[in-house]
Amino acid sequence: MIKFFIFLFCMNLSTNSFADNKVNYFKDIPIKNSNGFYQSVIEIESGENDKWEVIKKSGKIKVEKIDQEIPRKINYLSYPFNYGIIPQTILTVEDCGDGDPLDVVVLGEKIKRGSVIEINILGSINFIDSGDNDLKIIAIKKNNSIFKNIQDFDDLNNNYAGVIEIIKLWFLNYKGKNKVYYDQILNKDETEIIIKKSHKRFMFYINNLQQ
């Protein structure tokens, strides 16, 4: 019986979840895994209202706070999707970004915070938030049980009509009225160009830190 519980404990410490938070989610997780797939670190599970984020300086996942005191909550519908980052990327100020890792919406079943998963990029939606580009990459978890055989936005629209519009509507309202504005939709190829550029920005950032 003891061996059985030890087995269950070890199963919970799987390679795709770093519950001990000792890992630096920003720097230590490769942008792609050994199979060549992009990876995402999940910050927020679908159904949550608390705003969690990977802190670039420490690489830890913490609750975002207002004025460094009050935990931030989304005063709107709970997140209808999983939300996280693509590690080892930075959308820099030079690219009209906020200097943080690229955000990614992961469609499908609920995924535990701190999980590192392989994803399939479908495309992205760019918003304007406080004058900055606020790119939201849209992806699905590889081998998920819901969105099967979906490779891009065309597949998503043809098989799951309205999903992109739901995502757009949520981001346009989750901070309140007239806070976030829609800019444009980018296809899979255009999105991957941005990801690759953001990874180069990350490498430049890391190399400068080490000097």
Side-chain angles (χ1 to χ4, degrees):
M1 181 63 69
I2 293 176
K3 289 182 178 180
F4 176 72
F5 283 114
I6 292 174
F7 171 76
L8 289 180
F9 176 76
C10 291
M11 286 295 290
N12 287 331
L13 295 180
S14 60
T15 55
N16 69 342
S17 180
F18 299 88
D20 59 7
N21 213 19
K22 292 180 181 178
V23 69
N24 185 312
Y25 288 100
F26 174 56
K27 296 192 298 183
D28 295 345
I29 308 299
I31 186 173
K32 289 186 177 182
N33 62 15
S34 59
N35 295 322
F37 294 116
Y38 283 110
Q39 300 197 108
S40 173
V41 175
I42 300 301
E43 301 168 305
I44 302 169
E45 304 172 20
S46 62
E48 281 200 72
N49 280 81
D50 293 324
K51 180 68 170 69
W52 294 75
E53 62 177 348
V54 172
I55 307 301
K56 189 170 70 173
K57 185 175 181 179
S58 67
K60 308 304 180 186
I61 301 178
K62 296 185 177 181
V63 174
E64 184 178 333
K65 293 186 178 181
I66 301 172
D67 297 327
Q68 298 182 341
E69 295 181 2
I70 305 172
R72 179 183 169 195
K73 284 187 175 288
I74 302 302
N75 188 25
Y76 191 55
L77 295 174
S78 302
Y79 279 81
F81 37 70
N82 303 287
Y83 190 77
I85 65 164
I86 295 183
Q88 297 189 350
T89 62
I90 298 176
L91 188 61
T92 62
V93 175
E94 290 83 357
D95 296 318
C96 299
D98 57 7
D100 289 333
L102 289 173
D103 298 321
V104 59
V105 167
V106 182
L107 304 176
E109 58 266 39
K110 186 174 182 177
I111 305 171
K112 184 179 179 180
R113 178 170 51 254
S115 296
V116 178
I117 60 169
E118 57 183 22
I119 56 174
N120 181 27
I121 305 295
L122 305 183
S124 59
I125 306 174
N126 194 51
F127 298 91
I128 304 298
D129 185 349
S130 301
D132 295 330
N133 285 320
D134 191 13
L135 188 73
K136 307 300 182 185
I137 294 169
I138 314 301
I140 56 174
K141 180 183 177 183
K142 296 290 292 185
N143 302 318
N144 74 93
S145 62
I146 300 175
F147 295 92
K148 297 180 179 179
N149 301 317
I150 303 299
Q151 300 297 322
D152 52 32
F153 277 167
D154 287 339
D155 288 342
L156 188 63
N157 286 328
N158 291 334
N159 292 277
Y160 298 95
V163 170
I164 293 177
E165 292 305 315
I166 290 171
I167 296 170
K168 284 172 58 178
L169 185 63
W170 194 88
F171 278 113
L172 288 173
N173 291 277
Y174 82 117
K175 288 187 175 182
K177 290 184 178 181
N178 301 321
K179 300 289 186 180
V180 178
Y181 300 91
Y182 168 72
D183 178 39
Q184 62 177 324
I185 286 180
L186 294 89
N187 64 29
K188 184 171 185 173
D189 291 339
E190 293 169 328
T191 300
E192 290 193 351
I193 289 173
I194 293 175
I195 295 173
K196 291 174 182 176
K197 183 176 182 180
S198 297
H199 180 57
K200 289 182 180 179
R201 297 289 197 188
F202 164 82
M203 296 303 298
F204 180 80
Y205 169 82
I206 292 300
N207 290 335
N208 281 344
L209 281 182
Q210 295 173 349
Q211 291 179 359

